Amino acid sequence: MSNNEGVIYRISGPVVTATGIDARMYEVVRVGHEKLMGEVIEIHGEQSVIQVYEDTSGIRPGEPVLSTGQTLSVQLGPGLLTSIYDGIQRPLQTLEEVMGVFITRGVDADGLDLEKKWDFVATASAGDEVVGGQIIGTVQETETITHKIMVPPKASGTIKNIDSGEFTVTETVCTLDDGTEIQMMQEWPVRHPRPYTQKYAPDTPLVTGMRILDFLFPLAKGGAAGIPGPFGSGKTVTQQSLAKYSDAQLVVYIGCGERGNEMTEVLDEFPGLIDPNTGKPLMNRTVMIANTSNMPVAAREASVYTGITIAEYFRDQGYDVALMADSTSRWAEAMREISSRLEEMPGEEGYPAYLSSRLAEFYERAGRVETLNGDDGSVTVIGAVSPPGGDISEPVSQGTLRIVKVFWGLDAGLARKRHFPAINWLNSYSLYPQSLNQWFRDNIASDFPEVRTEISALLKVEAELQEIVQLVGSDALPIDQQLTLEVARMIREYFLQQNGFDPVDAYSGVEQQYAMAKAILTFQDEAKKAMAAGARLQDVVNVPARTELMRARFAEGYLESIGGLVDDMVGEITGTVEAN
Amino acid sequence: MTSKEYKTITDIKGPLVFLEKTEPVAYGEIVTIRLSDGSMKNGQVLDTSDDAVIVQVFEGTEAIDRQAGVKFLGDVFKLPVSRDLVGRILDGAGRPRDGGPDIVAEEKADIIGAAINPYSRQSPHDFIQTGVSAIDCCTTLVRGQKLPIFSASGLPHNDIALQIARQAKLKDSDEEFIVVFCAMGITAEEYNFFRTDLERTGALENAVLFVNLADDPAVERLITPRLALTAAEYLAFEHDYHVLVIYTDMTNYCDSLRQIGAAREEVPGRRGYPGYMYTDLAMLYERAGIVKGKKGSITQFPILTMPGDDITHPIPDLSGYITEGQIVISRELHQAGIYPPINVLPSLSRLMGGCIGEKTTRDDHKKVSDQMYAAYAEGRELRGLVAIVGEDALNERDLQLLKFSDIFEDKFLRQDRDEDRTIDETLDLCWNLMSSIDEKYLVRLDRELIDKYGQHTE
């Protein structure tokens, strides 16, 4: 006979020890008279160790602890989109209504609005055989996203009854012949990956509109990327650009242990932003989770799981979902804090020994899959990492790099030079080009991979030449190498730098990226030709049409005009031969 | 609640007292300890269970013995707050230090402070004119921001902080800030310097001071900033004041945190600082901001000295991840005799973008600031090159930029300690200084602005 009520034995910050309950690991319990939410994270004989998601000041030994029999779960169904949650899926708007502007404790709130009626359209009919994950109806949740209602993963049978109409998320919309009632809302434990049929190899890029990412270091839909960088190098701006412009159908944005004002900025800005892929407000496709640095640390630990479970749920409906976690270092620190309260034997730098396996498990929930109903869906994970002092030899960066296939390394030096995005092109990498090359050849240009190789080779050569220039000055280099430096400067200033705040330049389609890269190579070829025929480097570099070509990227319709601008440039460069 | 006095101390270690056989004691509860000579000490519960309780003693454990009597007061630490706090000087535990009467509480506020719901925040966007060109132009301070000064020993960060406290105001407004000043482990001399200056300018009447000096108990420093912020929140959100919180020195605060961690035998993180230091600092810094529906605001100006001038040290590093930018003080500039020696290159204001421009400062602010920054950055880099190859090797453009970097430091950065430049004066000065560079090299400015403000002579 299990006992579901015990008492508190010890309190140390967010960690509470209780006796007298027979709890299971990761079961949710209610702690103290105020019924604070907590989760069992360790069991020692009679004692259950609980991490509490709210502040524990004022709680005493001897207060009651109730077990709920549930593990930490999220509510999934219509109403998720456009929401903003804390780390344990409590809507911040509801919390404001109940608590006022400061977050107090002991308030429970449903993740979904249980009162709201949604217009359910049945797509299956009575008599249909259904299995877990199968879509039985739809709800037009926002203008751009159709929420597909699925049979819960473990249910299956023949539909006895199904009705279209107005329902709340807890009303039964469908009954199976074995008596199973299906509602629009499902609950799912956050620490368990949702099931799928099989994982595919990614073959489509997640187009982000950022030239350095798409062109040089592409990320695949269903892939995982890490963005480490010291403070001030633009991690958050990069993450936000990805949330705004990437061509995922849905975005889950987790602000994990970050600045409150920054989350507010996102909240203020997103509703007014238009998705370049659909022309509709961005908020329509976004779910946000905000657990700022001063909110309870245990809820910060849970926030990434809450986020990825929501992402998987939409993946199961056949969507391409992108998840941004800013920052995974804060998540790791939350683990470290809890672990130290448990007096666990630490691994590197005080982090728990299971840090790297937790990171791996999390990133492994990314992927492109065949869903239970045979659709194709994906979750792409992009995790920011905040290494202390910008030194990526630390455990969180290293644990991340071991598992992700894309590394976008932010660089304080570039940020200081106001080179944005401050992604270092020399140490960043992507392991996806091989699997994505076919897509680029088919959809953009047959020589796309070759152009990419040429551009990145030029940047590498530049880095070597710069070392010499530092010593002897650029005038001492042979003229062809001086040209290489000019071409590389063009790559950096015209191609790699991108103004995230400029309405036009912020988003650059892959076709345009390719055209710009080709324009650079054309400049190189023409300049070589002209100089072989006697033109001076200075004259070639300073042709006004080249400046015009570069500047025009801030004007609308650049993709259409670029061909003409390149022709002008070629004409003028040829002209420098005659002028000489 | 009248409570029992326990004489069940088992261990005393560093700032911690361990005792047993108590009735249930709340986590975070306030404790008084009566010594055998009748004197009293205060503390707070750090860990509690049926078997043992750990108390952190604010005044240090000196002279406590196992016979000392321990009382649990049944409540967490609260600060009596009232409008009358303004103009008062309190010690690091919130008791009057100015010889005045006790604060008569309008209410008692929990000093830990609850997190502001991100949904209820309002984005900061009001430009604060500090009168210091380097800050106003390049790392603009915004009302509701937390912008620390990263300094190091021997640098004039206190002068800068005071100058900002004196001069800070909204553009075209005389509305003043209430200054909440929080001293943590600074010397009596430094404290006198602050107090005298605040008295001299009459600002003391509009200030609340919480003072924990170098010879005051180190553990008390852990609550001093919380008291200061609790007072600030009360004044801002109950009485509609705009509050500027200056705290110095965060490095001493962090060292106290480390001391407690070591006494509890916690697993240390980097350089011995506890693993939860990020969360702990965030619980201070994040108490800056503006909330919807309230008129007041809290702007924070923490000062921290970087041990060994090292910006990657855990204290500046973790701070930089939480605060909305930083103002970096440079020893090199200080040694060159420039005041304020602000190095604009590593300095940053994250909220600047949203608060400058035509409606708030001036239409040219963004571009002028970018151009000044770019030209200065390049000029400084050229200094390194000149040291190797000499000025002769530079072309005309590089020579101009090199000269500009000197002008920038001498005319733009340098200003008097009581020189209060308006943002218009600062921007006009920028245009004046940039006229030493040929127009064609000022690529970050557009034609329109050059025609409107440019001071190039034909």
Side-chain angles (χ1 to χ4, degrees), chain A residues 8 18 54 74 141 173 186 208 232 263 306 308 357 360 368 440 464 470 479 490 502 522:
Chain A
I8 298 178
E54 300 175 78
V74 285
E141 187 175 351
V173 292
Q186 302 184 7
T208 66
M263 287 315 298
T306 301
I308 197 140
S357 59
R368 185 172 150 246
F440 284 116
E464 288 162 20
Q470 292 293 323
I479 201 78
M490 186 170 177
D502 183 275
T522 306

Side-chain angles (χ1 to χ4, degrees), chain A residues 9-11 58 96 103 257 268 387, chain B residues 27 47-48 51 115 123 278 321:
Chain A
Y9 163 72
R10 174 183 175 192
I11 302 142
E96 185 191 69
I103 294 185
D268 283 354
Chain B
Y27 176 73
D47 195 320
T48 170
D51 302 329
S123 287
Y278 177 84
Y321 276 120

Side-chain angles (χ1 to χ4, degrees), chain A residues 9-11 13 58-61 92-93 96 101 103 232 257 259-261 268 293-294 300 330 337 387-389 416, chain B residues 24-27 47-51 115 117 119-121 123 276 278-279 282 286 317 320-324 350 373:
Chain A
Y9 163 72
R10 174 183 175 192
I11 302 142
I59 310 292
R60 291 167 197 275
L92 290 177
Q93 192 172 356
E96 185 191 69
V101 297
I103 294 185
R259 303 179 181 90
N261 278 334
D268 283 354
S293 52
N294 57 340
R300 192 197 307 163
R330 306 300 162 226
E337 199 172 323
R416 270 209 286 283
Chain B
V25 169
Y27 176 73
D47 195 320
T48 170
S49 71
D50 287 348
D51 302 329
N117 186 334
Y119 184 82
S120 312
R121 279 180 184 268
S123 287
Y276 49 79
Y278 177 84
T279 307
E286 278 290 334
D317 190 55
Y321 276 120
I322 307 166
T323 56
E324 284 133 359
R350 290 170 188 272
Y373 183 99

Side-chain angles (χ1 to χ4, degrees), chain B residues 187-217:
Chain B
T187 61
E189 207 175 317
E190 277 178 292
Y191 163 61
N192 284 334
F193 174 75
F194 272 103
R195 206 193 53 194
T196 319
D197 193 89
L198 291 171
E199 262 170 11
R200 177 175 69 86
T201 56
L204 199 57
E205 287 165 32
N206 274 325
V208 193
L209 277 61
F210 289 87
V211 184
N212 167 286
L213 296 184
D215 56 353
D216 287 333

